[in-house]
Every structure is written in structure tokens, then in C-alpha cells.
Amino acid sequence: MVITAVGVPMVAARETTLQELLGGPKQYQVPLYQRAYSWGPDQLARLWDDLLQLADDRADSQDVTHFVGSLVLAPSPANGPAGVQDYLVVDGQQRLTTFSLLLCALRDHRAREEASEQARINELYLMNKWQPSRHLKLVPTQADRNAYLACVDSTPQAGGPDPIGAAYRFFMARLGEAENEQRLAHIEDALIGGLAIVAVTAGHDDNVYRIFESLNNTGLKLTQADLLRNYLFMRLPRRGEAAYQALWLPLQQSLSPEDLELLLWLDLVQDDPRVKQTDIYSAHQVRLERLRTELEIEAEIARFNRLGVLLRLILDPSAEKDTEVRRRLTRLQAWGTTTVYPLLLRLLDLRDQGKAASEEIARAMLYLESFFVRRLITGRATNNLNRILLSAVTEMDHAKPLDEAIRLYLSTGRKYYATDDEVGKAVSAAPFYLNGRSAQRKLILQWLEESYGSKEPVTPDTLTIEHVLPQTPTRQWRTMLGEDLKPDETFEEVHEALVHTLGNLTLTGYNPSLSNSSFADKRELLAKSGLAMNQEIAAQPRWGRPEIMARAAALADRMAPVWPGPVAAPAETPDPMWEVVSRALAEIPAGAWTSYGDLAALIGVHPIAIGNKLATKPIPNAHRVLQATGKVAEGFHWLDPERTDDPRAVLEAEGVVFDDHACADPRQRLGVVDLAQLAGVTVDELEETLPDTERLDESNPLDRFLAQLSRQQDLPTVHGVIAAIESWDAIGGFILLGAGGETSCFLMARDTDHRLGNIWPVTFYPSGKCEVVFQHMSRREPFDDIQLRMEFLDRLNKIPGVDLPLAKIELRPGFPVSILADRSALTMFIDALHWFYEQATASSQFP
């Protein structure tokens, strides 16, 4: 019969058996673009069980068959009426390779009892006896060829550690369990004559690539990197073998599948930081469609190969030849953030092309390190880092030297590259021990110690962070610190203000010994340390507030040259406040409105000034600005003199609801907080209050949240919130606690280091709000799909008392946590959270 599919040429399909497929002089070539053999124990065991059952069934009736799938073939144009018939295996190569390996194992097992069995099975199913140049009936893809040949030729290397060898060993072991020769004969009969295969054969003029793409372009069967490799080699009919051997195979062998996919994504974001990792294949395909010749395609593979070498340096800097570049790469690798990879690949690529010197990129990496360190010290460890660094390649000034361009880019805009003054204040006052990841805090102390130039190397594996003034002070410490108190101060507040600051922290291998010891005991141990910073502390006669503050100031002075600060930013463009208004209005979604007063409060002017501006300057969505009552201003007019439509009718068409008094629905109104979120000018953005990447295991933040919640809410509400948190933890989520004065609680589904970024559905505030973070979700897969956000909103709105307006689907609306005091409402809320978690973690399965 003949079958067709959308976009697929006419092909012929018929049911056949291995006996027919492998009989006669034939050769099945697995193209280079196919991925390597990958069947594992589960697939092999399933096939074996089916085969044994089929063998039993066919012993009673030879008509019984078992369908095992399809095989898509493309005949060689050179095929004639005689000689070896050549076919490309477009789809089904895993299945066909497995059957051939089973035949090898069956041959070798039976040949132990009867030597003639080897020649019989070879000649019937595995080899073309009279065609020395094409003696294999199946030729696997290049990566599998040696392992497969070892099995076919029965060499000592047969059954190696690779998947091919593992399959051969699996079948040899199972065949060894067969009771007798008759059982083996039944198994062979079932394999050769009982497995039904649909052979789909394309015509001579059909486009094999299109058939393959149609079968595999969903990304479910193959990874994004597999699909791209297949696409490239399908376009290299003549030069493919050489390009594969020289360029692609070394690349594939040097990088793990995950790292290869990372490389292909990093290459794309050099030009477009918005590209998602799920779009690797389609985005590259669009770009590569413009190439016309095999030489151009081969040049792209050579470029991927070259970039792969550079990515290996990023992942393992030990191979870098330049001492300073290696040092900077090693430190950035130790910092543990992948967000810097796109920029690092760009730096190394420019050097590789001769457009930048090693000294230049080493300084550029120093500025990156400094940027990370200064942000962590000032409490802004990871917020917006991904967006900032992804945009660096396209937005930095390419006319400047590379290191200067990166420093200037990091210094401008709201990137929070902390100045020396900001670092000095933070070192003295910020709770350094609670910022960022513990490994990063330790690195900063380690690098500070290295800045002393001590000849004794720091061995970080044996060191931990030590609070000199202990977290749990003894009576001796209370006495010492009490000497520094002012009349209006308490010990507790001064201790809390000092204990976690950088001035009170050091590295030591004596942490268990030091613990809460007196300063005299600690000083004795620290004096024996080989670390210069510990000897400085040991030189102090006491350890109270003056000493901690003095050390903080000294450390801040030391940091300034170690980690250079930002350069002065260029002057801002005139009238930035109206840019904020324009940005906020441009982001107002259809079905929402705001007022002149809300916009005025956003930038600190009178509502009349807003009205005058909108009446004279073209600003997007000006018709969505109404009077505080929700009415269209009497003097409203379109700036386009030819436009005469009724602004109310336009708003209604967009989804705004008006009542009988011509007033817009107040629930659809966006207030000043909403506008600030839309404009991106909120000072305390939600991400910035997170402790970023570390799941805090200290009891203090959680205790503080629960204490604040208990003081401000009744007992049933507190129990409801705790039940929701415990349910979230039970399904695999976790919580992060904010660092602000009001300790917020974030229900986290993914952490910051996740490939798709962190994501959470709601935030609890002890003052009484459950905030639904649609604005955050809109930037994270899979909830960047508005349909999923709308479904989450719908699930929440079914909870009695919850009424979140659709107009705020891009913002952070909320509802009272007191609603969770009701048991049925709590159950519905937990169900909605569980649904959210399933969606957020299901998308994580992409490699």
C-alpha cells in the first residue's frame, strides 16, 4: 500500500519479517545523522519477554506473529536488478541494531555446541558472503561501528562497556538460560519469522531529510542537539563522512549530551538573548536555511567544534594555557553560576578569532567577578543576573576595548554594581553570613585571605566560616560586648547587628573547637593559624563593637583594589520620569485601566501635569487613563485628528466593564504599586528580597516569619498557612524566607540554579496577604504561556473569598491569608498549589 502524511512524500508500506529483510544480498546503512545506539536494560528485557512468549505461542501455531514497529527505509539511487541492494535507515535503526545483536549472540551461543551454526547465521542474516567490500548487512552509525563489528566478527572485544556491548552481553546471558537446543530453535524461529515489522520505503525521488524531520521534529524522540546534528548531516550527502570524523565526532566525544545542548544554546544567545533552550533546533534551523552549499554547512560544523573547545575551557579551566585567564576562569567556575557562560564564551571566542588579547579578557573576567562579589556583599546576589548577563553580549559598546566595554555595561542602568562607598557601608552593617550561597561567602573570605599574599596556600576543603563573636554568646561574651553599649541600647540588638557582619567572620579549621569559647581561648587558637586574617584578629586585646567595626573598615579598604568597582555612568537621557510613565502605560494589558492620580503618584507630580502630558505627547495606551471615578475625562481627545471613535467603546472592546454610571470596574484598575511593577521601577523587587539561591536551613528566618504571622493573625489563619507550607514541602517544594523587616515566605517549586530559573506561585506576608506572582511567572517556563497562568487564576478564583481580576494576570495581585482559615478553602488552595507544582516540575524534564 501507499501512505502519505502532511509534508511527507508518497511512500510504500508493507508488513514483513526479519527473514525477508535480511535475506539476500542487502545492506542497511544507518546515516551519520542518526544518534548512537541507546537501548538499555528496560527495552531489552521487554523485547526478550515478548520473544519468549512468541516462541511458546509459535510452537503451537506457526501463524502467530508479534508486531514490533516500523522501519523507514530509503533505497539507494544506484540500486539495480542485481547485486547488493542498499538502503538508508531513516527510522527504526535502534530496533534493527538490536535484532542484529541478538542474532550475533544467538550465533555465538549455538556455535559452542555446533560450529557450523556460526557460518549459517552469518551468511543468512549478518553478512553478504560474496561482497567483501560490503560484507555487513547492517552498517551502524559511525559512533557504534567498532563496537558492532566486534560483535559481528566475534572478536575478544565483543561485549564491551558501551550500549552495543551491553546489549550483546544481555542476550548472551539470557540465551544461556535456555534449557536445550529445541528451545533455542524456537527462539530463532520467533525472531526471524514471528516478529512483524512494517517496512516503509520511500521512492527514489523522495526527500529523505523531510521524511526524517517529519518523524522526529517533535523533540520527543530526539534531543534538540540530536535534531540539529541530523539536520546538518542530512545536508552533507557528499562531505558528511569526513566532516563527521574530523569535526562532529570529536565535539560529541568531548562534551556530554547536556553540555553539547548547552553549547548550541549559548551560540544562539550571542545574537538573541531571548532564545529559549526548548527552541535550539528550530532557531538554528532558521539560521542555517540561508546556507546553500555543503562547504558552508561544513564550516558551521567546524565553528561548533571550535566553540566546543572553548566551552570545555569554561567547564574545566585547567587546560587554559594563559596563567591569568586560567585563574579568572577557575574563580568564576568556583563561584558556581552558569549565568556567566554566554559572556565567557563570547570572550574566549573573540580571543580565538584574534580580536582580543588574553590580558583583555582576563581583566573583563575580573570585572565580572567583582560585579558578583560586590552584589553579594550588598545583598543583591542573584536578582536579574540572568537577564543582565544574557544581554551583555548584544548591549555592550563594541567600539570600546573588551574589558572597558564590559565594565561600562555593568556600571550602567539598574544592575547594582556596588560602589566602594556602598561596599563599605554593607561590610559594616549588612548580615553577610545570610547573603547568597554559603560556598560563595566562603570564597570571598578565601580570596580576601589570598590578597594578603601569604606564601602558605589556603586549603579551603579544611576551612569553615567562623563567627568570632559567637551566634550564641556566653556570659563572658555578654560582659565584653556590654562594655560597648550606649545607654539606649540592648545587648540583643547590638549582638544581632554585629554577629553576621563580615567584620566578625573569618575562616578556620578549628570551628568545632572554637564554638562559643571565650575570646581569650579563640585568640590563642587563631594565633597558631597560618591565615593572615586570623593573626590580625589574634593581635587584638579584646573583640567588641569597636574592633569588629575597625576590621570591617579594613576589609572594605582591602576589597577596593582586589575587586574594582563600577565606572561613572554616562549622563541619563533628559526627563527620565516621563520615560517611566510611557513604560508603565505601554505595559498596561488590555482589559485594565489606571488613573491620572495613580500615574502622578508613580513619578511624584500633580495629576494635572499627567493630563497635560497625555494631551500633548504621543504616549501608548493614553486612552486607558481615566479619572479616579473610572470615567473618561471630559476633555479627552485622540492625538490623531482623524480618529473619532469613542474611547469608552474602545475600552469595552478591550474588556473593560463599565456600569450604568459610565464608571469603569474598579477591580480592573491598576494602582501605583501595579504601575511600578509594570514599569520595572519598584525599589524592592520581589526577587531582590529573596536569599536568592540557598535554601536557608537556619531556624531564625522561619521562626521570625512564624512569630510575625502569629502576632498579626488569628490562630485558625496561622494553622491554615502552616498547613499549606507543610503540604508544599510534602510534594517536593521548599520555602525561602525574605530578608526584609517583614519576613515573607516564598513557596519555591524550582531554585535559582535550575536551567529554567527559579519559580514560585505565591508569597505569604505575615501582615495578611497571599501574593500571587503572575508577573514573575510570566518570565518562567512553562508559565510564560498565558493560558497556564489563566488556568491557575481560575483555580484560585474558585476558592471562596478569592476574586483575582483577569486584568492583573501580568502583575502580583493577592488575597487575605485569613481565607485559609476555612478548611474547604484551604483544601482548594492546596489543590491549586499541587497543580502548579506539577506544571512547573514537568517542564523540568527537558534535558
Side-chain angles (χ1 to χ4, degrees), residues 593-597 622-633 647 651 656 658 663-664:
W593 63 279
T594 190
S595 73
Y596 295 97
H623 66 287
R624 294 175 183 169
V625 184
L626 306 177
Q627 294 177 333
T629 59
K631 289 188 175 183
V632 177
L651 288 167
V656 176
F658 285 82
C663 295

Side-chain angles (χ1 to χ4, degrees), residues 604-616:
V605 299
H606 195 278
I608 293 178
I610 296 292
N612 291 337
K613 192 75 172 182
L614 297 183
T616 57

Side-chain angles (χ1 to χ4, degrees), residues 16-42:
T16 186
T17 63
L18 272 183
Q19 192 161 27
E20 182 179 358
L21 281 169
L22 299 176
K26 295 173 185 173
Q27 186 172 82
Y28 297 95
Q29 174 84 43
V30 179
L32 290 171
Y33 54 72
Q34 291 277 24
R35 63 178 168 180
Y37 183 76
S38 60
W39 272 31
D42 291 343

Side-chain angles (χ1 to χ4, degrees), residues 682-829:
T682 311
V683 175
D684 295 318
E685 290 180 349
L686 185 57
E687 291 91 338
E688 294 171 15
T689 64
L690 281 171
D692 301 310
T693 59
E694 185 176 27
R695 305 182 187 190
L696 294 177
D697 56 7
E698 295 92 341
S699 59
N700 287 344
L702 180 57
D703 287 349
R704 188 162 59 248
F705 167 75
L706 294 175
Q708 292 176 0
L709 183 70
S710 299
R711 285 196 296 268
Q712 300 180 68
Q713 306 300 324
D714 58 28
L715 192 58
T717 299
V718 173
H719 286 168
V721 173
I722 293 174
I725 293 173
E726 289 177 344
S727 175
W728 184 253
D729 179 74
I731 63 171
F734 63 97
I735 64 170
L736 289 180
L737 288 307
E742 181 181 19
T743 304
S744 46
C745 177
F746 306 85
L747 302 190
M748 306 298 298
R750 302 191 307 245
D751 62 23
T752 308
D753 284 341
H754 190 276
R755 176 185 59 81
L756 297 177
N758 61 0
I759 192 169
W760 65 96
V762 300
T763 307
F764 291 126
Y765 291 90
S767 55
K769 181 181 180 181
C770 176
E771 185 176 66
V772 186
V773 291
F774 290 121
Q775 184 188 44
H776 161 76
M777 295 177 211
S778 68
R779 304 192 297 270
R780 295 289 192 272
E781 294 180 21
F783 285 90
D784 52 351
D785 181 349
I786 192 172
Q787 295 301 322
L788 279 180
R789 298 201 302 280
M790 290 175 67
E791 182 170 350
F792 188 46
L793 179 141
D794 183 59
R795 287 172 180 266
L796 293 174
N797 277 344
K798 291 178 180 176
I799 301 171
V802 177
D803 187 13
L804 303 173
L806 182 61
K808 296 193 177 184
I809 196 68
E810 303 293 340
L811 301 172
R812 299 203 297 261
F815 59 85
V817 293
S818 58
I819 288 175
L820 304 183
D822 179 81
R823 185 173 297 274
S824 61
L826 174 63
T827 299
M828 296 175 71
F829 179 64

Side-chain angles (χ1 to χ4, degrees), residues 78-152:
N79 283 346
V84 175
Q85 300 294 297
D86 290 337
Y87 296 89
L88 282 181
V89 184
V90 180
D91 195 53
Q93 63 111 342
Q94 301 280 336
R95 203 172 294 116
L96 187 57
T97 304
T98 303
F99 297 152
S100 297
L101 291 170
L102 176 49
L103 283 166
C104 290
L106 183 65
R107 174 204 62 193
D108 292 345
H109 183 79
R110 300 194 73 176
R112 292 173 180 175
E113 300 295 330
E114 181 58 56
S116 62
E117 286 295 296
Q118 183 173 37
R120 181 182 69 84
I121 293 178
N122 275 344
E123 292 174 20
L124 286 175
Y125 311 124
L126 296 171
M127 298 181 183
N128 298 309
K129 181 177 181 180
W130 308 109
Q131 300 288 335
S133 63
R134 290 148 73 196
H135 73 287
L136 292 178
K137 288 186 181 287
L138 173 67
V139 181
T141 190
Q142 188 72 31
D144 295 327
R145 207 162 291 174
N146 289 337
Y148 180 76
L149 277 172
C151 295
V152 173

